[in-house]
Structure formats: C-alpha cells, structure tokens
Amino acid sequence: MAEVGSEAAAPDGARAWVRRNGLLTVVVLAIFVPFAVGIIWRIAATGDDFASFDPALLELGVRAVGRDSVLVGPYSRFGWNHPGPLYLYWLAVPYRLLGSTYGALAVGAVLVNVAATAGIVLVAWRRGGRALATWTGAVIVVYLAAAGPIAFDSWNPWVTILPFTLAVLLAWSLACGDLWALPVLVGVVTFLVQTHVSYAAPVGAVTVGAIVVVAIDARRERQDERLWPARRRALVRSVGIAAIVLVVLWIPPIVDQLIHDPGNLGQIFRFAREGQSDNTITDGIEEAARYLGVLPARLVEGTTIASAGGSAAVGWSTVLTFLAVAAAAFVALRRRQRDALVLIGFAALAAVAGVITVSRIVGPRFDYLVHWMTAIGAVLWIAVGAVLVAPASRERVKAVKVPAWITVVAAVLLVIGLGWLARDVAVAGQRADRDADRPPIETMVERLERRLPPPGDGVVAMRVPQPSFFAWQWVAGVVLELQRRGYDVRVERGLQSDVLFSPWDLVEPGTAPVAVAWDTVQPGRHGDVEVKGLSLDVIDERRSPARWRRAGALEARATPRRSPHRHR
C-alpha cells in the first residue's frame, strides 16, 4: 500500500516542484528547448552533406575511429594535432548511430553543450540554491543568444567554450569543499586540453588554484581529530578516482608519443617552446577587454560573439562588467563571503592566463582563437549573482516565492530568446559560411566516380603538387565524400599534406595503384575533371606506362616530405 501511495504522490510532488520553482523552470526551458530543436533539426535535415576543409578534416578524423589507430586529436594548422582523441571518440557514437553524416557531428556537439550547460546549472544549484541556479540559467540564456550558431557547431574551437565555463565552476565547487568535483573536473579539463590545446593555461591555472585551496583547508582540518578521519578518507577517495580518470583518458596520446618519432605531444611542446609570437601582453589585454563585456552588449546592442572581435577593446559593456564585479568583490569582502570571492578570483586567474595565452599565439590572432574568452565574462556575471544570493541561507533561498508577474515576464523573455535561438539553429543548419564550396565538391566527386575503379579495388591516392594551398580546401572535401561512397582514399605525403591531414589519411607517394593528380588548368591541355580552375587526372599506376611518366613529372615538382621520421 505504501508503494501505491508513493506512486500516486509522485505527480503531485513534480507539480509542486514546478510551482515552487516556476522561474527556474522557465529559465531551464529557455536553455534546453533550443538545444532540443537543434538536435531534431539535424536528425531530420535532408539534402546534400558536402563539407570542405576544417569540417571535412574533423569528419575524416571521426570516420577513422574504429578503423585506424586514432591516438591524437583534431587537426591544427601548426603542423601537429591537438593532444588527444577524446572528442573524436565521442563524436563517433552519434556519427555511427545517425547515418555517418556531417549533421550527426553537430548532434554530438550539441549534446556536449547540453551536458556542459546542465553541469553549470547544477553546480550553481549546489553552491547557491535555487536563486543562484536561476541567475546562472539566465546568464547562460543570454550567452547562448550571443553565441548564435557557435553553440550548434561541431568545430573544436567552438564546442569547447561551454565546457570551459563548466570547468571553472567545477574548480570553484572543489575549492568550496565539494571533493566529488575533482574527478569530474579532471575529465572536463582533459576533454578541453585534448580537443583544443589553447585551454591548457587557463584550465590549468584554475585547477591548480582549486587544489591549493583544498590543501590549505585540509591542513586546517587536520587539527580537528573528530572530523579529520572522515575528511581524509574522502580526500584519498577523490584523489584516487581522479588519478584513474587522468591516466585512462591520457593513454592514447601517451602511446602515440611512445611509439612514434616524432610523437605528437613532443611536437606540441617543441612548438610551445620555440614558436615565435608577434603578439604581446597588451594584445592579450585588449582581447580580454573586448570579449569580457559581450553579455551586456548582447542585451542592449544585439552584439554577438562573432561580431565582438571587430568592436573597440574597451566599450561601455566591458566597463559595466568590471564595475559590477568590483562592486560584488567589495560587498563580498565586507560580508566575508568566501565562496563568492573564490569564484571571482578564479575568473580573474583564468583571465590572466588567457591574456598570456593570447600573447603566445603564433601568427595572426584569428577571432576563433579568442572567442573562448567570452566564457570568462559569463563566469564573472555568475559570480555577481553568487554575491547577491549569498546572504540568504540555503533553506531560505529555496523557500523564496516567485511572484506571478515575474514568471510572466520571464515567459515573454523565453519566447524572445527562443526566437533568437531558432534563427541561429536555422543558420547553423545551413552552414553557409564555412561550406560554400559544396557544389564544386559534388561536381568533382561525381565526375571522378565515372573514371575511378569500383570501390574496394585498392587505395586511391590524392597527389597534389607542392606548394598548392589553393587546392587543399577541395581535396579534403573530395577525400571525405569518396570515403563516404566506399572508396579507400588517402592523400600522398608531402610538406603540406603532413600538416593538414592526420596520419591515418596519408599514404607514401607512389604506393597506391590509382592516383588522382591535382593541378591548375593548363592552356591547351584538358584534364579528366576540370572545376574551379583545377584539373584532376585519374592515373592508373598499374596499366598505363605513359601516365607513369606524367605522374613522375608531377612528383618531381612536389616538395620533399617535411620529416623522414614522421610515420604514424
């Protein structure tokens, strides 16, 4: 009878929870409904799925999971891969389940952001109850509106932004005494660093900061003989689990470093040590000032993360953010609100590490390399909310009744927010900006198929004269599409191909039975396929001595391999 009564009471309990947390419910819906729409959009989307350059290279990495030894992460333009394959492993799951399409990658990316956003709200609930969770959810709604299509894109510089926000909040929760946060923090930090190495300094700084705070607190707690034994057991358990997580997740890149010469991690460390940057600390400060005020600018001026890069370094929104944080820090100091001060300190620590990271960028400061700094602005505004709700106890915060008019206003804001995000989902679904080269790729592939042997009849190699940066954006797309159609397609090694393609997509020059030679269209000579000023000749190395000579001429013009030891 008790079980029946509990089941009958469950719906009433759910309804009562919604009544008590009406505003928080509205905010949570404002966050997750657009994500749900984005997932449905991607799954239901039809039409062509041709990707080029960076999107194609990412999908090639995902396709290799389960087929080749994928031990490193996504492509980097600096000649190495990002440290680890954790993101590629994750994307392989929805990719295989949803038909191996580019849209499936976006579904995987959206799920990453859903998990990160849920974690952000839950940590806020843990540290400040319903009030801080509601405030944090509102900050995330505005942030998603500012992010636009970025929140629905699978590109590794963008899919890591919300997880970075979660990492800072997890470090904060750990420093406030939640030892369970350490293994979770280690997992999130590993995902960030393996997927985009630029996060190493900021997440490393906040993680070390959290560990230092925990160590100081543990030293003080040792003086309490009643509480210390249980606390020590909890510390040992947390550290042990975190160590296991760390070791397991870093096995692939460590194995790559041990079995290959040069290993990918070694190349990254060498680049970090020897790379010459034209940027300065002043440049880093300017970028931080430009991006930390995106949230207020979004509410007033409609600024987005993408458009913030062209704005003035110090605008009114940046000044407002700094003033709000300074006022919050002053109040927290007066009231001795340690937890809020720790969060403000961690955000400042991440900002300082970010400034240093920007000053170390080699080459141009492309916007996508600094977009992640907007997440620090979101953390700063969450910290302001932590100060506002901290005076109330946990029980008092939970008991606050939300007036009906506030819920109505929040519902209106929800509708507006959903309108923003629905438009952004549609834009993300079209992928017009970075996939404008799909029609040439489709034409190339369809014409090549008429001249290539059937799929399964040996490796087909892409042979591109060096240097020829003009062709590479289409080479990546053609390789991907031919692989989708069942061909075993690789790219011949060379200075540029070694930089652009991962080891599993490379083949030694002249070893494939069939090659596709890429060149520019030459007057008086017609290639097998001519598109966008490019000429593609299919060369059957097994049957045509005459074409052997043409292949040799192209090979003679090729730039030698970058390193005779790069074999993975």
Side-chain angles (χ1 to χ4, degrees):
M1 296 298 292
E3 292 181 359
V4 173
S6 62
E7 290 177 1
D12 293 335
R15 285 194 293 269
W17 189 92
V18 171
R19 285 196 300 270
R20 289 195 306 271
N21 301 277
L23 184 57
L24 177 59
T25 302
V26 169
V27 171
V28 169
L29 286 175
I31 294 173
F32 291 109
V33 168
F35 281 135
V37 172
I39 292 174
I40 294 171
W41 177 287
R42 288 298 196 181
I43 293 176
T46 58
D48 66 80
D49 222 7
F50 295 93
S52 64
F53 217 43
D54 282 351
L57 292 170
L58 178 64
E59 187 172 345
L60 286 170
V62 176
R63 289 185 65 86
V65 174
R67 183 194 68 192
D68 298 287
S69 297
V70 181
L71 303 175
V72 295
Y75 144 83
S76 167
R77 66 188 177 93
F78 296 112
W80 33 262
N81 292 75
H82 289 283
L86 195 56
Y87 183 44
L88 301 180
Y89 290 173
W90 161 245
L91 287 181
V93 177
Y95 186 74
R96 301 284 188 239
L97 293 177
L98 299 176
S100 299
T101 64
Y102 183 77
L105 299 185
V107 171
V110 170
L111 291 175
V112 169
N113 284 330
V114 167
T117 303
I120 291 167
V121 175
L122 288 174
V123 171
W125 181 288
R126 168 67 181 169
R127 300 312 323 160
R130 185 202 318 161
L132 184 57
T134 303
W135 173 275
T136 301
V139 169
I140 296 301
V141 169
V142 177
Y143 188 80
L144 290 175
I150 289 176
F152 305 92
D153 199 290
S154 58
W155 200 23
N156 58 304
W158 288 344
V159 77
T160 43
I161 295 177
L162 283 172
F164 171 62
T165 309
L166 174 61
V168 177
L169 292 183
L170 284 170
W172 173 51
S173 191
L174 173 62
C176 293
D178 290 330
L179 298 181
W180 58 264
L182 179 58
V184 183
L185 175 62
V186 168
V188 174
V189 167
T190 296
F191 170 80
L192 287 167
V193 176
Q194 287 194 8
T195 305
H196 205 274
V197 73
S198 295
Y199 288 97
V203 297
V206 296
T207 301
V208 171
I211 293 173
V212 169
V213 174
V214 170
I216 293 173
D217 289 344
R219 184 176 181 180
R220 184 174 61 252
E221 291 164 349
R222 290 182 61 182
Q223 301 174 5
D224 191 330
E225 296 180 356
R226 292 184 304 106
L227 299 179
W228 174 242
R231 185 64 172 175
R232 181 179 59 191
R233 288 193 297 271
L235 277 167
V236 171
R237 182 169 58 251
S238 178
V239 171
I241 296 173
I244 293 172
V245 171
L246 184 67
V247 171
V248 170
L249 294 184
W250 281 96
I251 286 176
I254 291 174
V255 169
D256 173 83
Q257 180 65 29
L258 293 176
I259 67 176
H260 295 130
D261 182 18
N264 190 61
L265 289 177
Q267 293 183 71
I268 293 174
F269 286 127
R270 188 179 304 112
F271 178 83
R273 186 176 63 252
E274 300 175 358
Q276 298 297 319
S277 173
D278 295 328
N279 299 294
T280 64
I281 293 294
T282 301
D283 296 325
I285 294 174
E286 288 182 357
E287 294 294 352
R290 183 174 288 114
Y291 283 102
L292 293 182
V294 165
L295 267 66
R298 173 63 191 180
L299 289 173
V300 177
E301 298 177 346
T303 302
T304 65
I305 292 176
S307 64
S311 62
V314 180
W316 69 267
S317 60
T318 302
V319 174
L320 176 62
T321 299
F322 286 157
L323 290 176
V325 173
F330 176 77
V331 172
L333 282 170
R334 291 289 301 271
R335 296 178 176 175
R336 298 183 180 179
Q337 297 172 351
R338 178 182 184 269
D339 289 2
L341 286 172
V342 169
L343 182 55
I344 293 173
F346 281 4
L349 192 61
V352 171
V355 167
I356 296 173
T357 299
V358 171
S359 71
R360 295 288 297 162
I361 293 176
V362 176
R365 265 188 346 267
F366 294 116
D367 287 344
Y368 74 86
L369 293 174
V370 291
H371 279 160
W372 61 270
M373 298 189 78
T374 56
I376 301 175
V379 173
L380 288 172
W381 281 104
I382 293 172
V384 171
V387 173
L388 294 176
V389 305
S393 67
R394 178 70 55 83
E395 291 75 15
R396 184 177 177 185
V397 169
K398 289 183 177 179
V400 172
K401 292 183 178 180
V402 180
W405 69 269
I406 294 182
T407 304
V408 172
V409 172
V412 172
L413 294 176
L414 169 63
V415 172
I416 297 173
L418 289 178
W420 278 340
L421 296 176
R423 179 201 60 192
D424 296 333
V425 171
V427 173
Q430 295 171 1
R431 305 193 312 280
D433 291 339
R434 293 195 291 118
D435 281 348
D437 300 317
R438 286 177 287 171
I441 292 172
E442 182 177 12
T443 301
M444 290 176 186
V445 170
E446 290 180 350
R447 294 181 184 176
L448 279 175
E449 273 200 299
R450 301 170 192 164
R451 293 166 174 81
L452 289 172
D457 191 16
V459 176
V460 176
M462 299 289 119
R463 176 177 296 152
V464 185
Q466 315 282 341
S468 182
F469 280 110
F470 175 67
W472 286 116
Q473 57 183 325
W474 290 289
V475 174
V478 169
V479 169
L480 172 60
E481 184 57 28
L482 286 174
Q483 285 191 11
R484 287 174 176 171
R485 301 188 184 197
Y487 291 90
D488 185 2
V489 186
R490 310 296 171 108
V491 181
E492 289 190 345
R493 284 187 176 276
L495 177 63
Q496 292 171 357
S497 58
D498 272 15
V499 170
L500 295 171
F501 289 86
S502 298
W504 49 82
D505 287 315
L506 296 172
V507 67
E508 294 298 331
T511 59
V514 177
V516 177
W518 294 65
D519 203 352
T520 55
V521 173
Q522 302 295 327
R525 185 176 71 81
H526 295 286
D528 293 335
V529 176
E530 293 187 358
V531 178
K532 297 289 287 187
L534 291 169
S535 174
L536 284 65
D537 287 308
V538 177
I539 303 174
D540 190 334
E541 307 280 32
R542 301 165 297 185
R543 304 175 185 174
S544 176
R547 291 195 172 185
W548 265 99
R549 289 192 293 272
R550 185 193 303 179
L554 286 172
E555 184 65 28
R557 290 157 51 187
T559 302
R561 289 171 53 194
R562 177 180 54 181
S563 170
H565 301 293
R566 184 176 172 112
H567 58 283
R568 290 193 252 187

